[in-house]
Amino acid sequence: MKLTNSKIKNIIFFIMIGLLLVPQTRQPIQVLLHKTLALFGPSIIDESKQLKIEHYNWKLKDENGAILNFENTKGKVVLVNFWATWCPPCIAEMPSMQLLYEDYKDEIEFVFVSNEEFSVINKFISNKGYTFRVFNPITKYPDAFDVTSIPRTFLIDKQGRKVIDKTGAANWNSETVRKTIDELLK
């Protein structure tokens, strides 16, 4: 029996479907797929369409109970990322987030937000070698964020305008993002 291209494609398709049905292989395959989709950086919002955050009334806490009053980020460049350890697109973009964090942690505010227990977050962060701080929300986020799915990331300029508003995985260590941050820091 000769295998045609069509039969080979069908076999590969059914193997992939089978692997997606197995819980142990589902997440790694999804993460790989999202990493492929996240090869590109997020788009910059046209200046005429950048919405301004009017209310900064939001409180968060880190694993040690230290409170972050989002009001204190006014006048700074801020990157806010809503994510979870179980989310394949979140996992896919985290290496690029870590690289960006390493280079800009002293220049911009990074606010990584998750609703998960810190024991789960810390295990994930430790296993991956990430060094950024994660916060749990204490109060509801400002309406300007309107998070309906994750990952959702915002880059906010010193005037409080959303320069980037990205849902889904992206390459946050891209030249476009770095150039944009450098311009915002001037």
Side-chain angles (χ1 to χ4, degrees), residues 79-106:
L79 186 136
V80 179
N81 175 257
F82 293 88
W83 70 286
T85 62
W86 50 263
C87 164
C90 301
I91 295 167
E93 75 176 1
M94 277 299 154
S96 70
M97 286 284 193
Q98 176 64 36
L99 291 171
L100 190 70
Y101 174 78
E102 288 170 5
D103 289 344
Y104 287 96
K105 65 184 172 196
D106 296 326

Side-chain angles (χ1 to χ4, degrees), residues 18-186:
L19 289 172
L20 286 172
L21 293 174
V22 177
Q24 293 84 351
T25 57
R26 181 180 312 130
Q27 189 181 54
I29 290 170
Q30 289 174 330
V31 170
L32 180 63
L33 174 66
H34 285 285
K35 279 187 179 185
T36 304
L37 296 173
L39 291 175
F40 304 99
S43 301
I44 310 304
I45 300 171
D46 184 78
E47 197 168 329
S48 66
K49 296 180 181 177
Q50 293 176 359
L51 301 176
K52 188 172 183 178
I53 296 174
E54 298 296 332
H55 303 286
Y56 280 71
N57 187 20
W58 187 27
K59 293 196 176 28
L60 305 107
K61 69 176 178 177
D62 69 10
E63 68 175 308
N64 299 316
I67 304 298
L68 170 67
N69 184 344
F70 196 65
E71 186 81 29
N72 295 335
T73 68
K74 268 188 178 177
K76 300 177 182 178
V77 176
V78 184
L79 186 136
V80 179
N81 175 257
F82 293 88
W83 70 286
T85 62
W86 50 263
C87 164
C90 301
I91 295 167
E93 75 176 1
M94 277 299 154
S96 70
M97 286 284 193
Q98 176 64 36
L99 291 171
L100 190 70
Y101 174 78
E102 288 170 5
D103 289 344
Y104 287 96
K105 65 184 172 196
D106 296 326
E107 299 176 68
I108 71 173
E109 294 289 323
F110 285 87
V111 182
F112 291 93
V113 183
S114 177
N115 286 324
E116 294 176 283
E117 297 290 326
F118 281 113
S119 59
V120 174
I121 294 168
N122 291 341
K123 182 178 178 187
F124 176 84
I125 296 277
S126 176
N127 287 342
K128 300 291 185 181
Y130 299 145
T131 58
F132 49 79
R133 211 165 100 185
V134 180
F135 298 90
N136 280 158
I138 297 174
T139 60
K140 186 181 179 321
Y141 54 78
D143 290 338
F145 291 140
D146 187 33
V147 178
T148 55
S149 64
I150 57 174
R152 181 83 182 266
T153 307
F154 303 91
L155 181 63
I156 304 162
D157 71 8
K158 293 177 182 179
Q159 292 73 42
R161 292 184 307 247
K162 293 190 285 183
V163 177
I164 297 176
D165 178 349
K166 172 70 174 149
T167 300
N171 176 8
W172 290 95
N173 193 40
S174 71
E175 187 176 321
T176 301
V177 172
R178 288 175 167 275
K179 183 178 174 187
T180 301
I181 290 173
D182 291 341
E183 288 295 318
L184 295 177
L185 289 171
K186 290 181 181 177

